[in-house]
Amino acid sequence: MSVFSHLRVIEIGSAPAASYCARLFADFGAAVQKVEPPAGDPLRRTAPLTPGGQSAWFAFLNFNKSSIVIDANEPDASARLTTLIKDCDILVDGRDVDSADCPTMDIAAIRHVHPDLIYIEASWFGREGPYAGFAATDSTVRALAGLVKLVGPVKGPPLHAPDFQTGILAGLWGFIATASSVVARMREGTGRSWSLSIFESTLTLSEYHMFEAFACGDVMRRIGINRFWPGGPAGIYDTKRGWLGVTTLTPAQWRAFCDMLGLSELRDDPALVLAEDRLLHMERIERQFVPKLKARTAQEWFVEGLKQKVPIVPVPEISDLLLDKEKNARGAIVPVLLGEEQGLTAGSMQRLTLTPPRRGGRVPALGEQQAFASARTHPIRTGLASSGRIDVGGQPLHGIRVVDFTMGWAGPLCTRTLADLGAEVIKIEAIQYPDWFRGVDRRPAYVNGRTFEKTPRFCIVNRNKRGITLDLKRPQGVALAKRLVAGADIVVDNYSVDVLSRLGLGYQVLSALNPRIVMMSMSAFGADSVYRDCRAYGSTLEQGSGLPSVVGSLNGSPVMSHTAFGDAVGGLNGCAAVLVALIHARSTGQGQFIDLAQIECMMPFAAPWITLQSISGMRPMKYGNRHPQFVPHGCFRCAGEDNWIMIAATDAHMWQRLAVLIGRPEWAIDESLGCEKARRSIEDDIEIRLAAWTLTREADEAMSELQAAKIAAGVARLPIDLLKDEHLRSRAFLQETERGFIGLHPQPSMPIRDGGEPYAVRTAAPTLGQHNREILSGLLGLSSAEIAQLEREGIIGTVMLSDESNAHL
């Protein structure tokens, strides 16, 4: 039986975020009905299109759903829609992005009668704030979110990735909100009502650099294709055959990389020990190692990197993904039927081993009710009489305990989200090997100055948790960890494959202690992958996902984003996966193992091109800053130094308003230019005129004028700009938190709210071992003498050990 086979989901409006949220429920067996107008969801016409005229993007978002047509012009349209909603568990609402001619209804009245309904409403920016009501597209939102300006060459316009990113990120957040509500409803019997900001969801990718900018100041600039702050080398480079993704962060990785290439002079240069120092000398470094890479193929370097434990990965084309037997076998790529066309697309990345997701399916034709649409395994109603109470107070995951064996960004983001939603998260580190987000510098000065307590990135992803230290390489530490797991609901680790198993903390051992435990391994490639031993960071995951191959100019190199993209995406997918497994465990008492491969979590961003090439056999076209559907579309320079604005005309009416605004009214009245294909023929002329108009205006001034005319536009912000963004400030998105060693610092809120205000940050990130006594005594019942003995033996502690101290153990 599928985990969600008892759930019915209704999707209304037209928004990629709403569609992806609902698709994740369909992946695990929910009956999802998509309400469409007679002309169909506008996303059905979204490029890129297959040879048969089907939208590859729509296919990815909607397979395994049913479609029901309701004509808003019919007299009983509202009544029909209300009846549908009254018989569902979850209502996913994308009308604020595009109403898609959806009939009107009274959500408040429906929820009053059916308080167990879970409702989520997606909007670009939220219902209030200076940006509320802005015309927007995927790219203009990413520009405002700080995800465009730092990508691309040093000179000229930034190079941003194609659309389809914000919908995936916000859809994941929407699923997290609604799935956590299913958990809460099992306990409380009552649903919740959520609002989801797509803009704020997108900031999940930006928050790392936002808060590094808080600590370091205005130091980030666009520094070239496949380079990004704060260190490296971390980019994509040409080889004898194929492109190679390289990431060297730690001193050991840098030394091994230099040894691989025979560059002893670079290896031994004391000015290049740390990644942030290497960034200052990247021109010189690349001049020496780039020619060396031409001696071998990307695959040969990958094999050598495995031996040397350097994060190196071949950068695939879309055609390589289609031929990847492992990704097909694991369900990362699945078959999809689009009318008469058979293709492939990205599958579910939440790899639950006991209750796996569906593998592929059919895209519903307009009005098609697929067989599983009405399947119900038990009644959905809780039997509660309406009391007029809509929401139950408190956090949805209250009472859930998580044991957190994670480091860096991806794993801690997963567990931070669980903590934000009310779970009790116990983070386990070791004084010998603390979370590397505290810093990889192990020299005495760094340790003695407690610099490991002063890194904003650690504080951002570890708030609302309690922290202890345990040396898991010694029996006493392992025994204490087992006792914690025995009373927990969830265990998460993002170590390399088999690390916990080798320590005696593998799933077989822990499930024998606690049969209802949900345990997730967040490795880079998956537990059964031939690449399972490959070291990886978020940049490695992006490099290996196929996405860089569709970014950039037609004949240019693959292009990465400016941040460790894969980390944040892996964290959100991990959170979604454990919530699915938790719902199953709460229903059956049966836990399970989740084998999450973080590289697979990146593949949805390349899904349209996977489908397109699987059907047509043609290599995907790269558009640079242009768009397959919107003309004009691009990043245009404004007055001042390196100031840019993203602009898009999404339909004929928006195009006409834009033409008038930039002083070409004759274009507006030319009926032939109402068609995107006609505008494509004069796209160069349009861009020249538009660029001349923006160059005479400050970026924010240009955005104000464009938005006043209801034209999609967004200033290309730097991460530091987001710390003082007026919209985020008006929505209290940044919360001030006090913590030892750092003092008062901002924290980002979740982009999901079940009230007018964001969920409050309850506690700052723990200092190393801060809660040792509290947890060991309060939860496990150890005496003060026993705790003191553990401290003397170095099994617990509160100070990171330097390399020198470790050597003496």
Side-chain angles (χ1 to χ4, degrees):
M1 183 186 301
S2 299
V3 178
F4 294 149
S5 58
H6 63 294
L7 294 177
R8 176 169 287 167
V9 180
I10 300 295
E11 177 193 335
I12 60 177
S14 177
S19 290
Y20 192 50
C21 171
R23 198 210 102 166
L24 292 171
F25 278 99
D27 284 344
F28 288 93
V32 178
Q33 289 183 291
K34 184 178 184 67
V35 177
E36 302 188 70
D41 183 341
L43 291 174
R44 288 184 180 271
R45 300 179 287 278
T46 299
L49 302 177
T50 68
Q54 302 287 324
S55 168
W57 178 224
F58 182 87
F60 165 75
L61 293 172
N62 291 288
F63 67 85
N64 284 330
K65 298 179 185 178
S66 286
S67 167
I68 182 169
V69 173
I70 299 181
D71 187 344
N73 294 317
E74 294 179 356
D76 64 341
S78 294
R80 285 183 62 199
L81 181 57
T82 299
T83 299
L84 271 180
I85 294 169
K86 284 181 177 179
D87 191 38
C88 79
D89 299 276
I90 299 167
L91 176 61
V92 184
D93 187 349
R95 291 176 301 162
D96 197 63
V97 174
D98 188 330
S99 69
D101 297 323
C102 185
T104 59
M105 63 192 160
D106 189 336
I107 291 293
I110 294 172
R111 294 199 68 241
H112 184 82
V113 176
H114 297 290
D116 52 346
L117 177 68
I118 297 168
Y119 173 67
I120 186 161
E121 176 189 49
S123 62
W124 283 118
F125 298 101
R127 286 293 191 184
E128 66 284 322
Y131 300 164
F134 266 20
T137 68
D138 186 283
S139 61
T140 64
V141 168
R142 282 187 285 127
L144 283 167
L147 295 174
V148 167
K149 192 169 184 178
L150 292 176
V151 184
V154 177
K155 301 294 183 181
L159 255 182
H160 62 91
D163 281 356
F164 319 126
Q165 295 192 10
T166 65
I168 294 169
L169 292 164
L172 281 164
W173 273 112
F175 180 80
I176 288 166
T178 46
S180 70
S181 297
V182 174
V183 175
R185 194 175 73 167
M186 297 170 78
R187 179 181 71 244
E188 301 166 348
T190 304
R192 291 170 184 252
S193 180
W194 296 89
S195 62
L196 165 69
S197 165
I198 297 170
F199 172 54
E200 291 169 13
S201 299
T202 308
L203 295 178
T204 307
L205 297 180
S206 304
E207 63 180 34
Y208 174 94
H209 281 147
M210 284 172 64
F211 298 103
E212 289 296 295
F214 168 77
C216 302
D218 189 11
V219 297
M220 297 178 210
R221 292 292 181 271
R222 194 164 59 256
I223 55 177
I225 292 176
N226 296 323
R227 291 184 190 166
F228 61 94
W229 193 91
I236 295 174
Y237 302 97
D238 202 7
T239 69
K240 184 178 181 180
R241 185 174 67 251
W243 296 92
L244 186 71
V246 176
T247 304
T248 59
L249 294 187
T250 70
Q253 290 164 356
W254 168 243
R255 289 193 295 270
F257 180 67
C258 291
D259 287 339
M260 282 172 51
L261 296 171
L263 295 170
S264 57
E265 179 185 346
L266 292 180
R267 179 199 62 199
D268 297 332
D269 188 338
L272 305 179
V273 172
L274 299 179
E276 51 266 38
D277 294 332
R278 293 194 291 275
L279 189 63
L280 303 175
H281 305 278
M282 196 55 65
E283 293 285 350
R284 173 170 67 91
I285 291 171
E286 287 186 347
R287 279 198 303 271
Q288 295 189 57
F289 82 73
V290 166
K292 296 271 190 178
L293 290 175
K294 298 290 183 67
R296 299 188 188 183
T297 68
Q299 187 62 37
E300 289 170 341
W301 283 122
F302 173 67
V303 172
E304 189 63 28
L306 282 175
K307 296 176 186 176
Q308 301 294 335
K309 298 182 178 180
V310 179
I312 288 177
V313 65
V315 177
E317 300 281 345
I318 298 299
S319 57
D320 299 321
L321 294 180
L322 293 172
L323 297 174
D324 191 317
K325 293 180 179 178
E326 180 175 291
K327 288 182 172 58
N328 282 272
R330 283 178 56 87
I333 296 178
V334 296
V336 63
L337 186 64
L338 306 81
E340 299 300 316
E341 295 177 301
Q342 293 184 341
L344 298 171
T345 191
S348 172
M349 306 309 151
Q350 290 77 43
R351 195 74 62 234
L352 279 65
T353 55
L354 182 64
T355 56
R358 289 170 170 153
R359 290 205 172 196
R362 187 170 77 251
V363 181
L366 184 61
E368 178 189 7
Q369 294 291 293
Q370 297 195 36
F372 49 76
S374 59
R376 307 306 293 265
T377 57
H378 58 74
I380 63 171
R381 298 298 166 208
T382 61
L384 296 179
S386 174
S387 63
R389 183 182 183 189
I390 298 299
D391 287 318
V392 172
Q395 296 146 315
L397 298 185
H398 176 75
I400 303 299
R401 181 174 294 168
V402 182
V403 178
D404 180 2
F405 296 102
T406 69
M407 295 186 177
W409 189 359
L413 175 62
C414 167
T415 53
R416 181 194 82 183
T417 305
L418 297 171
D420 287 350
L421 290 166
E424 176 194 9
V425 176
I426 300 172
K427 182 179 178 69
I428 297 178
E429 301 178 78
I431 58 173
Q432 295 84 0
Y433 303 99
D435 188 328
W436 70 270
F437 249 31
R438 294 183 182 273
V440 296
D441 191 341
R442 309 300 290 274
R443 292 174 293 187
Y446 187 90
V447 173
N448 295 338
R450 295 288 185 105
T451 311
F452 60 89
E453 296 289 12
K454 302 173 184 178
T455 54
R457 57 183 178 269
F458 176 86
C459 296
I460 294 305
V461 291
N462 289 288
R463 65 175 185 228
N464 289 335
K465 304 176 185 180
R466 293 193 290 171
I468 67 169
T469 49
L470 292 174
D471 185 353
L472 299 178
K473 292 189 175 181
R474 288 195 270 179
Q476 302 98 312
V478 171
L480 291 169
K482 287 180 178 179
R483 290 176 63 184
L484 286 173
V485 171
D489 299 280
I490 297 167
V491 172
V492 181
D493 90 89
N494 66 337
Y495 301 153
S496 297
V497 173
D498 290 340
V499 167
L500 281 186
S501 294
R502 290 196 298 269
L503 294 171
L505 294 168
Y507 176 68
Q508 296 302 321
V509 172
L510 299 185
S511 63
L513 291 172
N514 182 353
R516 61 185 175 83
I517 198 71
V518 170
M519 183 174 185
M520 180 170 65
S521 167
M522 297 177 63
S523 63
F525 293 88
D528 59 355
S529 171
V530 295
Y531 303 135
R532 66 200 302 268
D533 296 321
C534 177
R535 298 296 177 95
Y537 294 103
S539 51
T540 318
L541 305 174
E542 182 182 1
Q543 292 159 356
S545 70
L547 178 62
S549 72
V550 299
V551 183
S553 57
L554 186 59
N555 297 311
S557 65
V559 177
M560 294 171 62
S561 64
H562 72 282
T563 188
F565 200 153
D567 279 319
V569 172
L572 294 181
N573 277 276
C575 185
V578 295
L579 287 173
V580 176
L582 178 64
I583 291 166
H584 177 262
R586 288 275 156 142
S587 300
T588 65
Q590 190 175 30
Q592 62 179 301
F593 180 71
I594 303 170
D595 175 25
L596 189 92
Q598 291 188 58
I599 194 165
E600 294 173 1
C601 297
M602 285 294 300
M603 291 180 62
F605 296 96
W609 296 278
I610 293 173
T611 300
L612 206 61
Q613 188 156 352
S614 71
I615 295 174
S616 70
M618 300 291 290
R619 185 178 181 181
M621 182 174 178
K622 295 200 289 188
Y623 285 86
N625 281 343
R626 289 180 172 178
H627 194 278
Q629 187 170 350
F630 305 148
V631 180
H633 179 283
C635 203
F636 298 90
R637 187 161 191 170
C638 297
E641 183 180 351
D642 199 35
N643 294 321
W644 302 85
I645 187 168
M646 186 70 67
I647 302 172
T650 63
D651 58 37
H653 298 299
M654 192 177 289
W655 153 248
Q656 290 165 354
R657 295 193 297 273
L658 178 62
V660 171
L661 183 66
I662 63 175
R664 294 300 300 265
E666 69 276 15
W667 283 347
I669 60 176
D670 186 338
E671 292 184 3
S672 68
L673 294 179
C675 171
E676 164 265 318
K677 290 182 180 178
R679 295 198 297 277
R680 185 81 68 191
S681 66
I682 62 165
E683 193 164 12
D684 288 342
D685 294 336
I686 295 172
E687 289 178 349
I688 290 170
R689 179 61 186 175
L690 187 50
W693 184 86
T694 59
L695 194 58
T696 63
R697 289 159 173 82
E698 298 293 332
D700 279 281
E701 177 191 359
M703 183 172 70
S704 294
E705 290 189 51
L706 288 159
Q707 287 292 348
K710 293 298 180 183
I711 297 162
V715 175
R717 305 282 193 207
L718 287 171
I720 197 169
D721 298 332
L722 300 170
L723 295 172
K724 54 182 182 294
D725 183 274
E726 59 176 353
H727 182 79
L728 297 179
R729 184 176 299 162
S730 74
R731 288 175 52 82
F733 178 80
L734 297 175
Q735 302 183 43
E736 294 292 329
T737 304
E738 183 72 35
R739 182 185 181 274
F741 299 99
I742 287 183
L744 201 63
H745 64 285
Q747 287 273 352
S749 299
M750 288 191 296
I752 47 178
R753 303 183 183 193
D754 61 0
E757 299 296 323
Y759 272 35
V761 176
R762 303 186 304 280
T763 59
T767 56
L768 190 63
Q770 178 179 343
H771 301 102
N772 283 344
R773 290 185 174 271
E774 178 182 312
I775 291 171
L776 296 177
S777 174
L779 281 184
L780 302 185
L782 270 64
S783 67
S784 295
E786 289 172 313
I787 293 173
Q789 182 64 26
L790 292 172
E791 289 175 340
R792 285 193 294 272
E793 294 179 7
I795 294 168
I796 66 173
T798 57
V799 178
M800 172 182 173
L801 296 185
S802 65
D803 285 334
E804 183 179 291
S805 299
N806 264 323
H808 288 92
L809 285 179

